[in-house]
Amino acid sequence: MASSTSVAAAAIAAARSITFGLIKPELFVAPHRVAAAHEAIARAGFQVLARRATVVAVPMAEAFYAEHRGKFFHPRLIASITSGPLEALILGRADDRAIAHWRELIGPTHALRARTGAPTSLRAAFGLSDTRNGFHGADSPASVVREGSLFFADDAAAMALLQVSR
């Protein structure tokens, strides 16, 4: 059996592109939902290159959602992401479209729109609302680096992955 280090090294070598994502707190109320999300991520062709379970404090949430400061939904975003444990992920794919594939897999931001417009998406399956939608996905290579750096700043291997993605 391969060690987790060699499996991770093989996955990193096979990844042509990466993205950053979150499994948000609303899924963690039922561990089987997190397991189902992990299975869907693997079935979709993603390799988990780095993962971190954490609880986000308000200052980090403010930094993460800085681009939404001043918008009417900003307080709900902060309340949601700080409401419990979440999982930060650096995901790799063997093609050059990890960001687009991840965003397609998670589906539209609003869970109701996901159920009607992307019924096989993760947000359709697990999302509760526009804010409590179960998942986050970086929207650009710059966002992958910025967002991933917030969650993996103390992980040299993860930071090296993010720097290569630029």
Side-chain angles (χ1 to χ4, degrees), residues 33-162:
R33 289 178 163 203
V34 177
H38 288 160
E39 290 168 12
I41 291 165
R43 276 195 317 274
F46 287 97
Q47 300 286 330
V48 176
L49 304 179
R51 122 182 21 227
R52 169 161 293 161
T54 189
V55 175
V56 175
V58 171
M60 184 174 177
E62 291 284 354
F64 186 75
Y65 285 126
E67 67 195 61
H68 300 300
R69 189 172 290 121
K71 296 178 182 172
F72 75 94
F73 55 84
H74 183 258
R76 289 185 308 171
L77 289 173
I78 301 302
S80 176
I81 201 171
T82 59
S83 67
L86 59 72
E87 187 173 58
L89 303 165
I90 298 175
L91 301 167
R93 280 184 62 95
D95 61 25
D96 61 354
R97 295 179 30 85
I99 293 169
H101 283 295
W102 175 245
R103 291 177 65 82
E104 181 181 328
L105 178 63
I106 64 177
T109 301
H110 196 286
L112 182 57
R113 288 191 189 110
R115 286 187 190 96
T116 58
T120 61
S121 70
L122 293 175
R123 286 176 171 156
F126 301 111
L128 304 174
S129 69
D130 58 338
T131 306
R132 298 176 57 81
N133 58 23
F135 300 88
H136 168 79
D139 62 1
S140 68
S143 292
V144 170
V145 173
R146 184 185 76 76
E147 295 168 2
S149 295
L150 287 169
F151 285 89
F152 293 98
D154 63 344
D155 182 330
M159 290 302 292
L161 281 170
L162 294 170

